[in-house]
């Protein structure tokens, strides 16, 4: 195996040779490991010892290292287009291969496969913002997908409630200020009235001069 090799094509070729040679599956890792290089070798060396002898787990770890997962195969399955360069049989075979890599029917029950298909459609029909949120967390169970959608809606509802409260407080603030002004206006009028009355009294009745001053005159 070289750095330029397509890891998926390499593993597929290895599996076909293993089947053709009728190697026991327990020996597949032993025969594959010496030829791994680069990222594939790194993925294998980082595995736990008790898992590194199981081919399916080794394959999954290697593909994960290359960012290839069930979601990758699901997208390829849904996005595959018919090409005139391929025969109908080749296209059908390719679709079947992608489906098996996505669903892994040999490892899942009928109920698990049904749940996967229904969950995919469930996420697809959600509103765009909720769907993006759920897909971001890559749920592998329907219950997890449902919980993510419910949590998002709850958080969105709480955010909307806080926004409305803030807006209401901004609307009520001018009203309260206006009421406060109206409340203080009568008090100001009374004070000004007293002031003008006092000035009028001073004007009409000036204070008498000091008697000592008059006597000196």
């Amino acid at each position: 195996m070289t750095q330029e090799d397509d890891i998926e094509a390499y593993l597929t070729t290895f599996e076909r040779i293993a089947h053709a040679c009728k190697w026991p599956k327990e020996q597949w890792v032993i025969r594959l490991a010496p030829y791994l290089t680069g990222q594939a070798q790194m993925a294998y060396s980082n595995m736990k010892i008790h898992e590194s002898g199981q081919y399916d787990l080794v394959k999954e770890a290697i593909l994960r290292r290359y960012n290839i997962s069930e979601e990758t195969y699901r997208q390829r399955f849904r996005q595959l287009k018919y090409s005139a360069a391929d025969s109908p049989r080749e296209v059908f075979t390719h679709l079947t291969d992608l489906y098996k890599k996505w669903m892994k029917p040999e490892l899942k029950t009928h109920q698990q496969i049904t749940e996967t298909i229904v969950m995919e459609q469930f996420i697809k029909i959600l509103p765009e913002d909720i769907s993006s949120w759920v897909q971001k967390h890559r749920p592998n169970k329907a219950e997890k997908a449902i919980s993510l959608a419910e949590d998002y809606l709850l958080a969105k509802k709480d955010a909307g409630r806080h926004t409305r409260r803030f807006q209401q407080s901004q609307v009520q603030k001018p009203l309260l200020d206006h009421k406060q002004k109206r409340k203080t206006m009568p008090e100001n009028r009374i004070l000004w009235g007293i002031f003008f009355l006092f000035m009028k009294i001073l004007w009409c009745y000036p204070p008498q001069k000091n008697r000592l001053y008059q006597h000196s005159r």
Side-chain angles (χ1 to χ4, degrees):
M1 179 180 178
T2 65
Q3 296 293 337
E4 291 75 24
D5 285 332
D6 182 325
I7 187 61
E8 293 179 86
Y10 185 87
L11 292 175
T12 299
T13 301
F14 171 80
E15 291 169 5
R16 289 180 178 178
I17 293 174
H19 282 297
C21 296
K22 298 181 180 180
W23 295 337
K25 199 167 185 178
E26 294 77 15
Q27 297 180 8
W28 286 16
V29 175
I30 299 174
R31 294 178 180 274
L32 173 68
Y35 298 98
L36 297 177
T37 60
Q39 295 294 325
Q41 186 182 61
M42 186 68 68
Y44 175 70
S45 64
N46 287 339
M47 293 184 67
K48 297 178 181 179
I49 295 178
H50 68 277
E51 295 179 346
S52 61
Q54 303 178 52
Y55 177 78
D56 290 331
L57 295 180
V58 171
K59 179 181 179 180
E60 183 179 346
I62 292 173
L63 292 177
R64 187 165 56 246
R65 189 79 178 188
Y66 285 83
N67 294 320
I68 300 172
S69 62
E70 291 182 9
E71 176 62 17
T72 306
Y73 294 122
R74 184 195 71 79
Q75 292 181 12
R76 291 179 184 177
F77 178 82
R78 295 301 185 191
Q79 297 170 3
L80 183 66
K81 304 294 183 181
Y82 180 82
S83 172
D86 299 324
S87 68
R89 187 175 299 278
E90 288 175 330
V91 174
F92 183 85
T93 301
H94 191 189
L95 270 177
T96 303
D97 181 60
L98 290 173
Y99 174 82
K100 289 180 178 179
K101 289 179 178 179
W102 167 29
M103 287 296 179
K104 297 181 179 178
E106 72 281 1
L107 302 177
K108 294 181 179 179
T109 64
H110 175 73
Q111 182 178 356
Q112 289 173 323
I113 293 175
T114 300
E115 180 180 356
T116 301
I117 295 176
V118 174
M119 182 176 67
E120 181 200 25
Q121 185 63 18
F122 168 72
I123 296 173
K124 183 178 180 180
I125 65 175
L126 287 172
E128 185 176 354
D129 55 338
I130 305 177
S131 179
S132 298
W133 169 260
V134 175
Q135 289 185 64
K136 180 180 178 181
H137 290 79
R138 297 184 178 182
N140 55 4
K141 297 288 184 181
E143 188 60 37
K144 179 64 175 177
I146 295 170
S147 297
L148 285 168
E150 290 175 339
D151 291 344
Y152 183 90
L153 284 173
L154 183 61
K156 188 176 181 180
K157 185 177 180 180
D158 289 341
R161 187 183 300 114
H162 290 310
T163 301
R164 286 193 297 272
R165 286 179 180 175
F166 176 76
Q167 291 174 343
Q168 289 174 356
S169 66
Q170 295 301 305
V171 172
Q172 292 174 353
K173 185 177 179 181
L175 294 176
L176 292 174
D177 292 343
H178 180 67
K179 289 180 179 179
Q180 186 65 28
K181 288 179 180 179
R182 292 186 61 183
K183 183 178 179 181
T184 56
M185 283 177 63
E187 297 177 357
N188 292 337
R189 289 175 181 174
I190 293 173
L191 291 175
W192 278 107
I194 294 173
F195 173 75
F196 283 118
L197 179 61
F198 179 72
M199 293 299 294
K200 185 175 182 180
I201 292 172
L202 289 178
W203 179 264
C204 296
Y205 303 98
Q208 296 181 357
K209 295 181 179 180
N210 192 295
R211 291 181 179 180
L212 292 176
Y213 176 76
Q214 290 179 345
H215 183 71
S216 63
R217 296 278 294 181

